[in-house]
């Protein structure tokens, strides 16, 4: 999905490509910092204490989510300054790209890098050792992981739109909603290997976030109906 979003909506515009790469970089830095803190916490704790290690894992996931959203806010601030610079340099006093378009491209950048790392981890697990489901566990690990990766890519795209809109109009409850949804989706991963317990709520949240982002972007039910019916 990220490849399709990139080809059809971003690849033809050099400015959008730059924004996407920068967004991916911000996500990557947030992951690096959260991984470093989690690694230090694990090394400083007792590896034999399973309850403590599970608690540290939950802490690491939640901290990573909060750090990602903090970097999303920093990226919004950076892009806001960039718009002011673009307006100052333009001849007509208008920015060549709107904040809504920046929000979408930045969200795709976050989702693209998130999906890339998810696939890398999945491929690393596929190398072995072991066989999926050999002890009677579900054999749908790789399939459900692929679907979860897809939903995270789309969610990051929608979250980017919602988050930037909340920052732009000072609607802090929209920002809080994004953080809560992100924490929820990440927390649902602890339901595995009960995959339906994580996939179904995640896709429902994706549908809600998609509808919300569509409306905030200026969409309407009439426009959606015309699009589905291929009417100009």
């Amino acid at each position: 999905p990220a490849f399709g979003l990139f080809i059809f909506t971003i690849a033809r515009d050099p400015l959008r490509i730059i924004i996407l790469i920068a967004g991916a970089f911000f996500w990557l830095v947030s992951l690096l910092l959260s991984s470093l803190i989690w690694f230090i916490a694990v090394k400083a704790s007792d590896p034999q204490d399973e309850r403590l290690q599970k608690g540290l894992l939950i802490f690491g996931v939640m901290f990573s989510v909060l750090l990602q959203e903090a970097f999303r806010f920093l990226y919004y601030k950076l892009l806001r300054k960039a718009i002011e610079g673009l307006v100052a340099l333009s001849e007509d006093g208008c920015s060549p790209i709107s904040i809504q378009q920046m929000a979408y491209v930045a969200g795709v950048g976050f989702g693209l890098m998130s999906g890339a790392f998810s696939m890398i981890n999945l491929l690393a697990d596929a190398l072995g050792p072991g066989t999926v489901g050999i002890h009677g566990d579900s054999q749908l690990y790789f399939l459900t992981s692929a679907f979860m990766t897809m939903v995270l890519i789309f969610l990051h795209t929608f979250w980017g739109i919602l988050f930037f809109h909340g920052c732009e109009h000072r609607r802090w409850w929209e920002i809080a909603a994004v953080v809560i949804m992100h924490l929820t989706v990440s927390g649902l991963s602890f339901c595995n290997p009960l995959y339906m317990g994580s996939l179904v709520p995640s896709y429902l949240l994706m549908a809600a976030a998609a509808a919300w982002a569509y409306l905030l972007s200026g969409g309407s039910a009439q426009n959606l109906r015309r699009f589905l019916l291929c009417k100009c």
Side-chain angles (χ1 to χ4, degrees):
F3 183 75
L5 293 174
F6 174 77
I7 291 296
F8 293 110
T9 62
I10 298 173
R12 296 181 180 180
D13 191 331
L15 182 58
R16 293 186 182 186
I17 294 176
I18 294 173
I19 295 172
L20 180 138
I21 294 175
F25 175 76
F26 268 70
W27 186 91
L28 189 61
V29 173
S30 71
L31 178 66
L32 176 63
L33 292 177
S34 59
S35 299
L36 180 61
I37 293 174
W38 177 79
F39 178 78
I40 294 174
V42 169
K43 289 299 181 181
S45 62
D46 182 9
Q48 303 300 324
D49 191 338
E50 295 184 2
R51 186 173 182 180
L52 176 61
Q53 294 302 316
K54 184 176 180 180
L56 287 176
L57 179 61
I58 295 174
F59 162 77
V61 171
M62 300 299 111
F63 181 78
S64 177
V65 168
L66 296 176
L67 199 58
Q68 287 177 45
E69 297 306 327
F71 270 80
R72 199 192 303 271
F73 179 74
L74 292 176
Y75 193 41
Y76 162 77
K77 288 293 188 179
L78 179 64
L79 290 178
R80 206 70 192 81
K81 292 292 184 180
I83 287 182
E84 296 175 4
L86 291 173
V87 170
L89 293 174
S90 64
E91 297 180 355
D92 57 358
C94 297
S95 173
I97 184 170
S98 66
I99 190 65
Q100 291 85 359
Q101 292 171 333
M102 283 186 171
Y104 165 76
V105 177
V108 174
F110 270 62
L112 182 65
M113 188 55 66
S114 173
F117 265 80
S118 296
M119 291 306 298
I120 289 173
N121 291 333
L122 184 62
L123 293 174
D125 290 337
L127 294 176
T131 302
V132 176
I134 193 172
H135 294 297
D137 296 325
S138 174
Q139 298 183 5
L140 301 177
Y141 170 70
F142 293 112
L143 182 62
T144 53
S145 296
F147 276 102
M148 197 65 188
T149 299
M150 181 177 68
V151 76
L152 280 174
I153 292 172
F154 281 121
L155 277 171
H156 270 294
T157 303
F158 303 140
W159 287 338
I161 296 172
L162 299 175
F163 195 97
F164 278 43
H165 186 273
C167 292
E168 192 72 7
H169 297 276
R170 298 187 180 277
R171 296 181 179 178
W172 306 117
W173 59 272
E174 291 182 351
I175 299 174
V178 171
V179 175
I180 291 172
M181 282 191 287
H182 199 167
L183 288 170
T184 301
V185 173
S186 298
L188 287 171
S189 63
F190 293 106
C191 295
N192 297 332
L194 182 61
Y195 296 118
M196 295 302 293
S198 59
L199 278 177
V200 173
S202 297
Y203 271 81
L204 291 176
L205 279 174
M206 184 191 72
W212 192 1
Y214 175 74
L215 294 175
L216 290 183
S217 300
S220 65
Q222 182 180 1
N223 292 337
L224 181 60
R225 190 183 306 112
R226 293 172 67 88
F227 169 75
L228 294 175
L229 296 176
C230 299
K231 293 183 178 180
C232 299

